Amino acid sequence: MQKFDVVVVGAGFAGMYALHKLRGLGFTVKVVEAGDGVGGTWFWNRYPGARCDVNSLEYSYQFSEELQQEWSWSEKYAPQPEIVEYANHVADRFDLRRDIQFATRVISMVLQESSRWILTTHSEEKFEAQFCVMATGCLSKFNIPKFEGMENYAGEVLHTGDWPKHEVDFEGKDVGIIGTGSSAIQAIPIIAGKAKSLTVFQRTASYSIPAHNAATNKEYEESVKTNYAEFRRSNSQRYAALNNNPNPVSALELESDERHAYYQSRWNDGGLSFLASFNDIGSNLEANKTAATFVHSKIHEIVNDQAVAELLCPKTVLGCKRLCVDTNYYGTFNRDNVTLVDIAEVGIDKISERGVIARGEEFSFDTLIFATGFDAMTGALLDIDIRGSNGLSLKEKWQGGPKNYLGLTISGFPNLFTITGPGSPSVLANMIVAIEQHVEWIASCLSYLRDNSKQKIEAEVTAEESWIELVNGIAQTTVYSSGCNSWYTGANIPGKPRIFMPYLGYPSYVEKCESVAKHGYSGFKIS
Ligand code: N01
């Protein structure tokens, strides 16, 4: 059995940086990755139109000044192949591959009395490690709902989160797509331009803001690179660690015309910074409604058929589900070959041999695409049979919902760390910024243990309980407490416990992590 100080599960952006950082500190590290390449979510999500919705000058590593100076993004929002190219460049540049074992899925992890972990892979290979770092991703276990008759469908089936490596040919084909979240919203305009027909099954309409993507503005790139460190530092002070130009004014302070004009300017800028148009969109339902009403007006302006436009207008609180960023999404519904099927009230009856039966009608397809999302944040972790102290399984521990401390450690599971786990800012912050912060905190913690000749660290139950209370308490002060249904709460997976998982507010999270470390890892038992 191969033995290491640390085994990292996953070679996405989190696993790659964990390897680089920990190896640099002199730990022996092995990364085990299910896919046959690096890049994690960007490795798997190869659907047409996939691209980042955070400016690539921000959605990139900052741990190496040389790396961030030498790499140039071709577009403001890099497309998926370029992000994978970047991941490969990082893997080569920092010689990561020699410590990554690809095409290897970890299926179980068992804590030994020695507080070391034994990991077993799908091919019965075993690794032993003193510490495990779970870099398994928040959106990596894709979800195909259990529709009746699935097994009967004879056409091609695809999922946006597990897209084939070869190019899918849509030419002359009748295509159906279920779901209208971020993935579908990016894929629909591209597929519509290729397929003979595209039928979109919408259960819940999404708010989407135009990306206005463009080739990288070289002047802007240069200005950022002139003082990249300061650019990163100032972004990290922002709520979501994004350079989103927050407006400190309440939406309710302005007259309606003035407010509309301001929303229009944000719409023209495009992207996620729309959420920062006013300081209370995320905390006050009345303010939120003004943003929603503005987006509704845009949808009605863009879409010719007003009945279709009305169906595309979300009735939910803006931001409850992740805001989408698109290129010509709403306008795609003006095409003759695109049909919107509203299944909000009725759902999908079943899948037949030829396609989908909904609203009492059968829709026949050559290709059926599931853009039905993920068992988010906990799915990939719970897919592994993780057994901690006294044989307790993580599944049992989390049967009422995920509980942990700092989003990084779980009581009963010593020497195990999660990156961008539930209870961390992760998906509601710039992911790569959050990843680097988590990795650096873990690296400092392991160095501290080594320097103090300690073998074991475990979150205290009371610290964990207070943390969950804190995460929920913060969410209660926002519009997320208004009954939001989304993968943030587990609501998209039938039977999954409902709990708001992300920690809201990157800067205050960092402060808490730093304070814990500064106070000798308060809230942890160390031995
Ligand atoms: O998944 P989703 P996604 N019957 O869960 C529908 C990130 N991301 O892959 O809303 C019918 O958002 C479901 O309907 P409803 C980003 O964080 C980022 O699109 O549950 N429909 C919904 O419309 C994003 O939030 C980027 O009613 C069913 C859709 O499927 C996250 O990934 C790009 C159904 C799922 O939407 C996930 O996005 C892409 C059922 N039984 C993704 N079950 C960028 O960076 C589900 N649906 C740009």
Side-chain angles (χ1 to χ4, degrees), residues 25-230:
L25 290 169
F27 292 101
T28 57
V29 187
K30 182 70 160 189
V31 179
V32 183
E33 163 61 49
D36 60 11
V38 293
T41 194
W42 298 103
F43 174 88
W44 299 104
N45 285 265
R46 307 179 195 104
Y47 59 85
R51 66 174 66 248
C52 193
D53 59 6
V54 170
N55 190 325
S56 295
L57 283 163
E58 297 171 51
Y59 190 91
S60 45
Y61 287 125
Q62 60 185 299
F63 68 81
S64 159
E65 180 62 15
E66 294 76 23
L67 171 68
Q68 64 179 5
Q69 287 296 339
E70 75 197 13
W71 185 267
S72 258
W73 297 100
S74 66
E75 295 173 56
K76 178 175 181 185
Y77 300 112
Q80 174 268 340
E82 192 171 333
I83 302 175
V84 173
E85 192 187 324
Y86 172 73
N88 278 293
H89 169 77
V90 172
D92 294 335
R93 195 188 189 291
F94 297 97
D95 191 19
L96 300 182
R97 289 179 210 283
R98 67 183 154 93
D99 290 317
I100 305 176
Q101 183 165 322
F102 292 105
T104 307
R105 186 173 285 280
V106 173
I107 57 164
S108 88
M109 298 172 55
V110 181
L111 182 73
Q112 310 298 295
E113 267 184 34
S114 58
S115 298
R116 292 175 70 87
W117 287 90
I118 305 282
L119 297 90
T120 307
T121 71
H122 72 291
S123 57
E124 303 274 306
E125 195 177 355
K126 292 195 188 297
F127 299 94
E128 186 186 313
Q130 187 180 358
F131 301 103
C132 290
V133 175
M134 308 306 290
T136 41
C138 296
L139 296 159
S140 42
K141 183 180 178 185
F142 66 89
N143 164 47
I144 296 194
K146 292 182 178 45
F147 294 118
E148 189 191 329
M150 278 286 288
E151 64 288 356
N152 301 328
Y153 179 63
E156 182 181 31
V157 175
L158 301 168
H159 191 288
T160 45
D162 186 32
W163 202 263
K165 277 187 181 163
H166 65 263
E167 194 172 337
V168 178
D169 183 13
F170 291 110
E171 211 64 48
K173 291 196 178 153
D174 292 314
V175 180
I177 184 164
I178 301 174
T180 51
S182 302
S183 303
I185 277 180
Q186 291 185 323
I188 283 167
I190 311 276
I191 298 170
K194 294 184 173 160
K196 182 168 136 213
S197 74
L198 178 65
T199 304
V200 179
F201 295 91
Q202 172 187 275
R203 186 166 72 177
T204 310
S206 287
Y207 291 96
S208 191
I209 309 298
H212 300 310
N213 188 33
T216 299
N217 177 330
K218 288 290 168 190
E219 241 173 77
Y220 177 66
E221 181 186 7
E222 210 175 303
S223 75
V224 167
K225 287 187 171 179
T226 302
N227 197 350
Y228 221 144
E230 173 52 26

Side-chain angles (χ1 to χ4, degrees), residues 398-417:
W398 282 1
Q399 62 188 345
K403 281 188 173 179
N404 62 17
Y405 182 39
L406 302 178
L408 292 166
T409 58
I410 308 160
S411 123
F413 296 80
N415 293 358
L416 180 107
F417 297 87

